[in-house]
Amino acid sequence: MRFFDNKKYNKIFGYCFAFITFVLLVVLFLFQWDTVRSFFGNILSVLEPVIWGLVIAFIMNSMVKRTEIILGKTIFRKKPHPKASRAIGILVASIIIIAVIVLVIMAVIPQIISSIPGIYDGLVNEVYPAVEAWLTKLLDDYPSIASVVSNELDNIASYLSSFVSNLASQLSTLLTSLLSFADSVKNFILGFFVAIYFLASKELLQSQAKKLIVGLFPEKIYHPIFTFTSSTNHALLGFIYGKILDSIIIGCLCAVGMLILQMPYGMIISIIIGITNIIPIFGPFIGAIPSALLVLIAEPRKVIWFLIFILVLQQIDGNVIGPKILGNSIGISSFWVLISIIVCGNLFGIVGMIIGVPLFAVVFDLLSAIVRRNLTRKNMPTETSYYSMAGVNIGENSTIIPAVEVSKEEAMSETITDEKEVSGEE
């Protein structure tokens, strides 16, 4: 759109408009973050089935491709049948996803149901008597603490009375949470059907998206967009499948360790540790808290050994298994992994801790591409090692001179020569 006849004025107007818009967005995000988050939260809640569909389709896509390749090399080797291959691939991927969900539910739910009597017996027969005996001995040995404990018991009693009086509102909150969970399950099921339709016509949808981008943007913009989406796809796929593999390995190692150490609730704790391990760095510790409580209730003497075992397992995952699997798939250092988890976790909670690493990897790749392009235009090296070398002179009118190892005699000779040049001697 042209507002002025002069191209120069139009360009200046475009830059000013872009700058003002950027400043307004920054101010809005800084001072009205709650309003912005509520606005985007409402949009995401409406689009939740579609988002679930895209995520499920993204995970299933590799399975569909692999199935199509296998069918093309075996059953449909002589005469290709693309539609039949696609349908079989979607069916196989759907069966795998549903089977994994069913297996996890069948492994967790019975364990939880069978553990409830044991947890209750442990609380009533072991934990409560031990705490009662400890408190009795403490109050006998230190009478001054008795008054403090008495006051705290009065506070607890008043809190319980207030809790009972507000039980109706608590039940209302619980009902709201259950309805929210049911709504999430409904959105997941709808998203599963959206994923099937997306995979069935993915070539058409990709062509339409490319046509839209090419039609809306000039060539210098849509080429980087395609490059960016390709790198995004690579980073997300590498992280998702790498993290799933890493979590399965950690869950199996935890199950073996729990069996060797004869820990209680081995299966359910292994599943908890494996699932929470999807969260990088902090995942094992998040899963260790409820798991340690289960061990403490069942066999208090083994809780220290359990915590030591989880610490060792986390070190093995962080220093051996994780870098081998995720180091190649993500392509960023552990420092940036930690930063991405902290920042995205503070902004978006548990979901941010999960998606923070691949999201940061995509941003990192985008910034790296921009930096490489600008350095190439300036005829500067793109290798990071050049900028960490001693003797490298970087400036506007300077050249890059890599440091060269010299002997002590040559270094002393160069020093004398430099001193003579400074003093004006020949």
Side-chain angles (χ1 to χ4, degrees), residues 56 59-68 70 87-105 188 192 196 199 241 244 248:
I56 296 171
I59 296 173
M60 293 172 59
N61 188 42
S62 295
M63 305 178 194
V64 174
K65 285 183 177 179
R66 179 62 59 184
T67 305
E68 289 177 343
I70 294 173
I88 296 173
I90 294 174
L91 179 62
V92 170
S94 302
I95 292 173
I96 293 174
I97 295 294
I98 294 173
V100 170
I101 295 174
V102 170
L103 286 175
V104 171
I105 292 175
F188 178 83
F192 194 84
I196 292 175
L199 291 171
Y241 287 106
I244 289 174
I248 292 173

Side-chain angles (χ1 to χ4, degrees), residues 208-279:
Q208 291 174 344
K210 288 182 179 179
K211 178 182 177 181
L212 181 65
I213 293 172
V214 173
L216 291 177
F217 301 103
E219 184 177 357
K220 64 179 181 180
I221 293 179
Y222 68 72
H223 275 305
I225 290 177
F226 293 148
T227 304
F228 175 72
T229 54
S230 177
S231 64
T232 302
N233 179 66
H234 175 74
L236 290 176
L237 271 179
F239 177 78
I240 290 173
Y241 287 106
K243 201 60 189 172
I244 289 174
L245 178 60
D246 179 48
S247 298
I248 292 173
I249 293 174
I250 292 301
C252 294
L253 289 178
C254 183
V256 173
M258 297 288 286
L259 183 63
I260 293 173
L261 297 174
Q262 297 181 349
M263 293 286 180
Y265 310 116
M267 180 61 70
I268 188 171
I269 289 176
S270 300
I271 293 173
I272 292 172
I273 296 297
I275 292 175
T276 55
N277 191 68
I278 295 176
I279 301 174

Side-chain angles (χ1 to χ4, degrees), residues 4-77:
F4 304 98
D5 294 333
N6 194 320
K7 292 183 178 179
K8 179 179 178 181
Y9 292 155
N10 275 303
K11 192 173 183 180
I12 294 173
F13 175 79
Y15 282 133
C16 292
F17 180 78
F19 176 75
I20 293 172
T21 303
F22 175 76
V23 171
L24 290 176
L25 289 175
V26 170
V27 171
L28 184 64
F29 272 83
L30 289 178
F31 298 100
Q32 296 293 331
W33 172 244
D34 292 335
T35 304
V36 173
R37 185 168 58 180
S38 176
F39 173 74
F40 283 106
N42 293 330
I43 294 177
L44 290 177
S45 65
V46 173
L47 297 177
E48 187 175 351
V50 179
I51 296 172
W52 270 119
L54 293 175
V55 172
I56 296 171
F58 185 79
I59 296 173
M60 293 172 59
N61 188 42
S62 295
M63 305 178 194
V64 174
K65 285 183 177 179
R66 179 62 59 184
T67 305
E68 289 177 343
I69 292 172
I70 294 173
L71 291 174
K73 292 181 179 179
T74 55
I75 299 175
F76 302 132
R77 181 166 52 89

Side-chain angles (χ1 to χ4, degrees), residues 60-357:
M60 293 172 59
N61 188 42
S62 295
M63 305 178 194
V64 174
K65 285 183 177 179
R66 179 62 59 184
T67 305
E68 289 177 343
I69 292 172
I70 294 173
L71 291 174
K73 292 181 179 179
T74 55
I75 299 175
F76 302 132
R77 181 166 52 89
K78 294 182 179 180
K79 186 178 180 181
H81 291 277
K83 292 184 178 180
S85 299
R86 176 63 52 82
I88 296 173
I90 294 174
L91 179 62
V92 170
S94 302
I95 292 173
I96 293 174
I97 295 294
I98 294 173
V100 170
I101 295 174
V102 170
L103 286 175
V104 171
I105 292 175
M106 291 178 63
V108 172
I109 299 300
Q111 284 285 323
I112 293 175
I113 295 174
S114 62
S115 299
I116 290 175
I119 294 173
Y120 177 78
D121 292 339
L123 286 172
V124 174
N125 299 327
E126 295 186 18
V127 176
Y128 180 75
V131 172
E132 185 180 20
W134 177 74
L135 284 175
T136 302
K137 186 176 184 303
L138 182 66
L139 295 177
D140 292 339
D141 295 341
Y142 302 97
S144 59
I145 303 179
S147 60
V148 178
V149 174
S150 178
N151 292 331
E152 292 299 325
L153 290 176
D154 292 338
N155 293 333
I156 293 173
S158 62
Y159 172 78
L160 291 175
S161 176
S162 175
F163 176 79
V164 171
S165 62
N166 297 325
L167 188 59
S169 61
Q170 298 293 331
L171 291 176
S172 175
T173 304
L174 178 61
L175 181 60
T176 304
S177 301
L178 291 175
L179 291 175
S180 177
F181 177 75
D183 188 62
S184 298
V185 173
K186 179 204 72 175
N187 290 332
F188 178 83
I189 295 173
L190 291 175
F192 194 84
F193 288 103
V194 171
I196 292 175
Y197 279 99
F198 180 84
L199 291 171
S201 57
K202 62 178 181 178
E203 287 83 6
L204 176 62
L205 294 174
Q206 288 175 354
S207 300
Q208 291 174 344
K210 288 182 179 179
K211 178 182 177 181
L212 181 65
I213 293 172
V214 173
L216 291 177
F217 301 103
E219 184 177 357
K220 64 179 181 180
I221 293 179
Y222 68 72
H223 275 305
I225 290 177
F226 293 148
T227 304
F228 175 72
T229 54
S230 177
S231 64
T232 302
N233 179 66
H234 175 74
L236 290 176
L237 271 179
F239 177 78
I240 290 173
Y241 287 106
K243 201 60 189 172
I244 289 174
L245 178 60
D246 179 48
S247 298
I248 292 173
I249 293 174
I250 292 301
C252 294
L253 289 178
C254 183
V256 173
M258 297 288 286
L259 183 63
I260 293 173
L261 297 174
Q262 297 181 349
M263 293 286 180
Y265 310 116
M267 180 61 70
I268 188 171
I269 289 176
S270 300
I271 293 173
I272 292 172
I273 296 297
I275 292 175
T276 55
N277 191 68
I278 295 176
I279 301 174
I281 298 178
F282 304 109
F285 297 108
I286 294 174
I289 296 173
S291 302
L293 290 176
L294 289 175
V295 176
L296 179 64
I297 292 171
E299 299 185 32
R301 295 180 182 86
K302 292 185 177 181
V303 67
I304 300 299
W305 291 108
F306 171 76
L307 293 175
I308 294 173
F309 167 68
I310 292 297
L311 180 61
V312 172
L313 187 64
Q314 194 274 338
Q315 293 300 315
I316 293 174
D317 179 40
N319 297 305
V320 180
I321 300 175
K324 291 294 182 182
I325 296 175
L326 295 175
N328 297 328
S329 62
I330 294 298
I332 58 176
S333 64
S334 57
F335 172 77
W336 295 115
V337 170
L338 179 63
I339 295 299
S340 64
I341 293 170
I342 293 174
V343 173
C344 293
N346 288 330
L347 290 176
F348 307 108
I350 298 295
V351 176
M353 297 177 74
I354 296 175
I355 68 172
V357 175

